[in-house]
Amino acid sequence: AIWRALARQGRIVNQLHAARKQLVAQPACFISTSKKNKDVSVSVQPMPKSEELKKLEEHFADTDVHADKNWVSYGWEPSDPHYDTFVHHVTMFFTVTMCVCWGTFILAYQPDHKNLSWRTREAFLELERREKEGLPLVDPDYISSDSMVLPSDEELGDVEVIV
């Protein structure tokens, strides 16, 4: 059944590939054979520049990053570029370097406060000791039945007890 499904997939892929080959257009039909002359039926005259266009050209001609008019705030201080840059760099340093990098390092290498590895190691040592002494791995009388106080059948009533 698996091989049949894989064979069907192969046939479908081959059919799609063949259909795709038929849809590809030949780029040769886009070649222009006309003469490259500059004869135009419309006369082109330069358009006079408006005041708004002149202002925009002047504004976008200045690409100096350090110019005050090209300054974009990081969002910490909208009026002072030096203070804004300083606060941004300090914030990013403490956030990325101190919190993310050092925080991850501390979480990864902190000691085992819940003693999870100690419990596992101690359990294996106890199992090995019981095997050497020939004792069962789990003692059925771990708590003596004399020290356990269980309710009587009358106290339980109709409660279902699952053992």
Side-chain angles (χ1 to χ4, degrees):
I2 295 173
W3 295 109
R4 186 178 295 158
L6 288 174
R8 282 191 198 129
Q9 294 295 328
R11 273 186 271 163
I12 291 171
V13 170
N14 283 338
Q15 289 171 357
L16 290 174
H17 186 65
R20 192 176 132 237
K21 281 184 178 179
Q22 293 173 357
L23 294 176
V24 174
Q26 295 296 325
C29 64
F30 298 118
I31 297 174
S32 175
T33 57
S34 64
K35 287 195 213 172
K36 304 291 188 252
N37 57 11
K38 295 186 179 184
D39 294 338
V40 182
S41 61
V42 179
S43 65
V44 179
Q45 296 178 358
M47 193 169 109
K49 294 183 180 181
S50 66
E51 290 298 321
E52 185 178 357
L53 181 61
K54 289 178 184 177
K55 286 180 184 177
L56 287 173
E57 283 180 346
E58 180 184 326
H59 176 75
F60 288 111
D62 183 17
T63 57
D64 184 20
V65 179
H66 302 292
D68 284 341
K69 70 176 185 177
N70 294 333
W71 171 68
V72 177
S73 173
Y74 287 110
W76 303 105
E77 177 63 38
S79 60
D80 186 10
H82 300 291
Y83 183 71
D84 184 56
T85 305
F86 172 75
V87 171
H88 175 71
H89 288 165
V90 168
T91 304
M92 289 300 120
F93 172 75
F94 279 108
T95 303
V96 175
T97 305
M98 303 305 281
C99 295
V100 175
C101 297
W102 283 105
T104 304
F105 177 78
I106 289 169
L107 287 175
Y109 291 103
Q110 69 180 346
D112 186 17
H113 293 295
K114 294 182 180 179
N115 291 328
L116 297 175
S117 59
W118 175 84
R119 292 179 200 165
T120 306
R121 187 172 57 248
E122 195 67 25
F124 279 116
L125 290 172
E126 181 65 19
L127 286 174
E128 187 177 338
R129 182 189 68 81
R130 287 182 158 280
E131 284 177 351
K132 283 182 183 175
E133 293 178 4
L135 298 171
L137 298 180
V138 178
D139 190 9
D141 294 326
Y142 185 71
I143 299 174
S144 64
S145 57
D146 300 335
S147 64
M148 288 190 286
V149 179
L150 298 174
S152 65
D153 290 336
E154 292 110 19
E155 291 175 349
L156 287 175
D158 293 337
V159 176
E160 182 182 353
V161 178
I162 301 173
V163 181

